[in-house]
Every structure is written in C-alpha cells, then in structure tokens.
Amino acid sequence: MSTRSSRRHRAARLASAVLLALAGALVAPTTATSVTSPTPPPARPYVTVPGRPYGIALTSDGSHAYVTAYEEARVTVVDTAARKVVARIPVGLRPVDVALTPDGRRAYVSNAGSDDVSVVDTASGTRVADIRVGEEPRGLAISADGRRAYVADAFSNSVSVIDTTTGRKTADIKVGSTPVDVAVSPDGRRVYVTNNGYGTPASLSVIDTATDRVVGWPGRIGNFTAGVAVTPDGQRLYVTDQGGTVSVVDTGTGKVTAGPIPVGLKPTDIVMSADGGRVYVANVQSKTLSVIDTSTDKVVGTIGVGGFPDRVALTRDGHRAYVTISSSDAVRVLDL
C-alpha cells in the first residue's frame, strides 16, 4: 500500500469513528443533569399609578391596594403580587383618602373636590353610593366594628359621621380649625382629630362616639398638626407636626408624654405597625420615612423613598410598606 493510500485509509477510519461517536451521543441514554433556570428579574420596587396617587389602603391579606388618583377622580386597584393596576373605579372629584371596612367588602373614599364620600363595592368594583359630607373632606377612618366612618371636613371645621349600615350621614361634629386627619380608638369609644390650624393654633380634638360630642381638648401640639396614629392598646397617640417632629400623647390624661421627637422635613402621614412596636412617618420634603421604636420613642431608622411621600400603608405582618408618591405617579414598595 502506498503512503498516500495509507493516509487516505487512516483519514477514512477516523471520519467513521467520529460519525459513530456522534451517532452514539444522539441515541445513547445519558445520566440526568441539573439545569439552572435563568434567574427571574427582581420585582420592580414601584407600581406606576397615573393621576397623582395619594391615599392608600391595603386589604387584610395584603393582596390588593386601593389607591386614590387625585387628578383622575378614580380609585385604582393594584394587585400587589403582580405589582400592576387591575382596576380603575370612578369616584368623586379630587379623591384624597381611602379606608376599607374590616370585612373588606366596602371602600370609603373622601372626595375633596365634590364634598362627598364615595362608597365602592370591592367585589363588583363599582361605586354604589355618594354621601354628602362637609367642605373639603380629607382624613377618613372606620371603626373596628365597621359600623361607623369618620371624616375630617377641613373647611367646615367638623367631623362627619357616617352609619355604614344605612349609608347615611348621622352627625356633623364641630372640632378645631382645619381638621385633616382622624383615628379611631381600638375599642371604638373615642375619635382623635388633628386640627392643622392654618392661621390659628393647631390642636387635637377628642370625640366621644356614644354622644358624638367633643369631650377633650388636649390643646396645642406643635405648630402644624397633621397625622395621628393610635397604639393597639389605645393608650397613646403619635401626632406629627409639619415643623419636623412627632409628639406622644397619653390618651388617659391628654398630656404629651414624649417628644417632640425630631424626624424629617414636613412629616405628614403616620402609621402604626399591627403589633404597636413601630411607627412610620412620611417626611415629604426629606423624601424619607422615619422609623420610631415605640418602646423608647426614638428614631431607629430612616428609609429613602426616592420621591415626596404622601401616604403609607403597612402589611399586617409589618414586613412591607407601600408609599404613594403623587409627584412621580407611583406607589413605592419597601421591604422592611
């Protein structure tokens, strides 16, 4: 055999071997190997909500958030797991605050532009009633038993009381100048109202819900009183002053027992964790949330939110916060 023929023979044998190996690789059984799936992208830290989102309320299971769209006269429903808008429900003009009944069947919305409160059936996603209240309704809260809604009417210097079983307003209670926020005690016996003042001294009014009368005037608390939150045991109030502080009030004596606690610039909304261990304060001009430990009444953390925070809602387990940022048409999602 010539050298050239020998080389051709070896090349042919090599090619045949390669083809056989490839064929075997295609048909021979293989052992199982782990396949790494692509890492899913991290969830967006915000939800886009057009129309200047302002007020916010979470369902008890945290699955949905109801957000007022101030410029669109709507309540926007957000699926918190998917982090997307799933419904937009027409309400009154310039909606400010929103609160859900304990059973989650109704959402109540204060409309500053139309001087009324819209009632939304959450199952059907429709507005079922509009209840006339005072001028420029803002802060709104519902009693723990779900039977009463209390609305701060800023330009009427009053609080409207709504019977949620009949859908009618049952009282208008005169309070201080320019009430902006309300909180109901856990036992439902008292309603606490922050009166911003606007030219007159800021104050805190206390309403007896059995008589619908003001029974206490703890007096001046700061210069521009804004948000109010009550502890789960009903013994203390945390009240923001837009000058940059939070004060703690003993509900039994009406006296300030701690503070003023320095927080950020222009603190407005304030919310209490379900266990009463933390208070979160929205500092509008600082673009932050201040975290207060209620056992020491000291700020233990400051969280940047990337915009001007308006309202805050917490999940029941306290692990997540949702913050409306109207200037950015967004709801910021924070893991706490």
Side-chain angles (χ1 to χ4, degrees):
M1 179 181 294
S2 67
T3 303
R4 181 175 297 180
S5 298
S6 176
R7 288 177 179 174
R8 288 178 178 174
H9 180 69
R10 286 199 301 269
R13 290 180 61 188
L14 179 60
S16 298
V18 170
L19 290 173
L20 289 172
L22 289 174
L26 291 174
V27 300
T30 59
T31 56
T33 58
S34 60
V35 177
T36 303
S37 300
T39 302
R44 291 182 305 167
Y46 65 91
V47 182
T48 299
V49 179
R52 289 187 62 191
Y54 193 82
I56 184 169
L58 287 174
T59 55
S60 59
D61 62 2
S63 64
H64 291 83
Y66 286 73
V67 184
T68 60
Y70 187 82
E71 289 184 344
E72 289 195 346
R74 297 177 186 273
V75 165
T76 300
V77 185
V78 174
D79 181 318
T80 57
R83 296 191 182 180
K84 67 177 183 179
V85 172
V86 293
R88 299 168 70 195
I89 305 166
V91 291
L93 300 177
R94 302 207 318 267
V96 176
D97 213 354
V98 56
L100 291 165
T101 54
D103 61 11
R105 296 176 60 186
R106 293 286 189 272
Y108 286 75
V109 183
S110 58
N111 303 306
S114 49
D115 296 338
D116 59 13
V117 170
S118 294
V119 184
V120 172
D121 181 290
T122 58
S124 63
T126 58
R127 178 177 61 180
V128 295
D130 294 306
I131 304 168
R132 191 77 175 179
V133 289
E135 293 183 56
E136 191 84 10
R138 300 189 66 81
L140 183 152
I142 296 175
S143 59
D145 63 7
R147 297 178 61 186
R148 296 287 187 275
Y150 297 88
V151 188
D153 304 317
F155 291 173
S156 295
N157 299 333
S158 63
V159 168
S160 294
V161 184
I162 296 172
D163 184 326
T164 61
T165 59
T166 64
R168 296 181 178 180
K169 181 180 71 173
T170 59
D172 284 310
I173 306 166
K174 285 295 179 183
V175 290
S177 174
T178 323
V180 291
D181 200 13
V182 291
V184 185
S185 64
D187 62 9
R189 297 175 61 185
R190 293 287 187 269
V191 173
Y192 302 100
V193 187
T194 51
N195 306 302
N196 193 272
Y198 285 103
T200 62
S203 63
L204 182 71
S205 298
V206 183
I207 296 172
D208 182 326
T209 60
T211 62
D212 286 337
R213 295 179 181 275
V214 172
V215 294
W217 296 85
R220 187 168 182 169
I221 300 175
N223 298 309
F224 301 100
T225 305
V228 58
V230 58
T231 54
D233 61 11
Q235 295 182 8
R236 290 179 294 165
L237 303 176
Y238 286 75
V239 183
T240 63
D241 174 11
Q242 290 183 325
T245 62
V246 170
S247 294
V248 186
V249 178
D250 184 303
T251 58
T253 65
K255 294 181 178 181
V256 174
T257 59
I261 305 166
V263 287
L265 299 177
K266 197 179 179 182
T268 51
D269 196 29
I270 184 167
V271 294
M272 179 82 56
S273 63
D275 63 5
R278 292 285 189 273
V279 172
Y280 295 83
V281 184
N283 305 305
V284 177
Q285 293 300 327
S286 297
K287 301 181 182 180
T288 62
L289 297 185
S290 293
V291 186
I292 298 174
D293 184 325
T294 59
S295 66
T296 62
D297 288 331
K298 294 183 182 298
V299 173
V300 294
T302 302
I303 305 169
V305 297
F308 303 109
D310 295 299
R311 291 288 187 268
V312 184
L314 300 175
T315 54
R316 286 183 178 269
D317 60 13
H319 293 165
R320 185 164 288 170
Y322 295 84
V323 185
T324 57
I325 303 176
S326 60
S327 59
S328 302
D329 278 353
V331 175
R332 182 69 189 274
V333 184
L334 299 172
D335 291 322
L336 304 175

